[in-house]
Amino acid sequence: MEFVNLKMEDYPSFLKLYNEAFPENERRVYKDEEHLANFIRMKGGKFHAFAAKDGDLFLAFLSYWTFEGYTYIEHFAVEPEHRGKRIGSLMLHHLFKEVSPDVLIEVEHPDSPESVRRINFYEKHGFKIRREFNYVQPPYSPAQAPVPMLLMTHGDVDLHNIDSIKDMLAEVYNIEN
């Protein structure tokens, strides 16, 4: 298995897993591969994604944004048939080593067995739930609703109030403070 920056040839697999793994109100709408490519170009090097691959087999992806003081993981998914094989753990360690150990992520409240498992997974990898303020994920588009979430951090992420993440909110969700 290797980790590679997402390339055009990976876009169909990325979009398929992305659309299957995340509810509509927790993802942006990419109309097609060209729309995804334009989004990545438009973000001018702040948005990144890498894939876990075994030869030509697409196993997982992790998309993230780089900000001063932290890296924000926007989406992270492993193909269902490859879960439980430590792929997610290896991807996080790759991110910590190659990008930054200071990471921010949003997670759903522990209202279901799946969300509890997800929180436990991140805690096992050194993430901590941060309750400095109530957080609601802004909608990606006017047609979507905001989603109550929890913030978790790994490493040394300065998180005191909503102003701590204003750059992320502006860039990812187009929220101007």
Side-chain angles (χ1 to χ4, degrees):
M1 180 175 60
E2 63 179 334
F3 303 118
V4 297
N5 289 331
L6 203 65
K7 300 180 187 92
M8 286 287 280
E9 67 197 41
D10 301 317
Y11 289 3
S13 297
F14 168 87
L15 289 171
K16 179 181 175 296
L17 178 56
Y18 178 78
N19 288 320
E20 290 171 355
F22 297 95
E24 188 174 336
N25 64 343
E26 292 180 27
R27 59 181 155 87
R28 64 182 77 251
V29 176
Y30 297 117
K31 295 176 187 139
D32 54 27
E33 294 137 38
E34 186 174 324
H35 187 234
L36 173 60
N38 288 335
F39 173 81
I40 292 169
R41 274 193 299 277
M42 182 180 73
K43 290 305 174 179
K46 280 201 172 249
F47 176 85
H48 311 271
F50 66 91
K53 295 179 79 173
D54 185 4
D56 289 336
L57 184 61
F58 188 93
L59 305 172
F61 75 86
L62 189 151
S63 65
Y64 65 95
W65 298 73
T66 52
F67 297 102
E68 186 173 330
Y70 64 93
T71 295
Y72 165 68
I73 296 176
E74 185 175 22
H75 292 98
F76 178 25
V78 177
E79 286 285 358
E81 63 272 20
H82 296 290
R83 292 180 186 153
K85 299 178 182 177
R86 299 202 64 242
I87 295 168
S89 296
L90 294 169
M91 292 182 82
L92 282 178
H93 289 292
H94 177 77
L95 181 75
F96 299 154
K97 182 180 175 201
E98 300 298 325
V99 180
S100 173
D102 303 323
V103 177
L104 171 72
I105 191 165
E106 302 163 332
V107 294
E108 296 151 331
H109 285 265
D111 300 331
S112 70
E114 184 177 275
S115 59
V116 169
R117 263 193 317 277
R118 192 172 296 117
I119 289 169
N120 289 339
F121 169 80
Y122 289 118
E123 287 178 333
K124 183 177 99 176
H125 291 89
F127 283 82
K128 293 178 178 60
I129 293 176
R130 304 291 297 267
R131 299 187 187 273
E132 284 84 342
F133 56 94
N134 288 328
Y135 178 73
V136 177
Q137 178 192 57
Y140 280 103
S141 76
Q144 295 171 311
V147 181
M149 293 279 208
L150 296 172
L151 294 175
M152 296 185 80
T153 60
H154 181 278
D156 186 22
V157 178
D158 183 23
L159 188 65
H160 298 293
N161 56 41
I162 198 75
D163 286 341
S164 304
I165 58 171
K166 67 181 179 186
D167 292 343
M168 183 272 284
L169 294 171
E171 194 71 42
V172 177
Y173 298 106
N174 299 313
I175 302 294
E176 295 299 330
N177 291 338

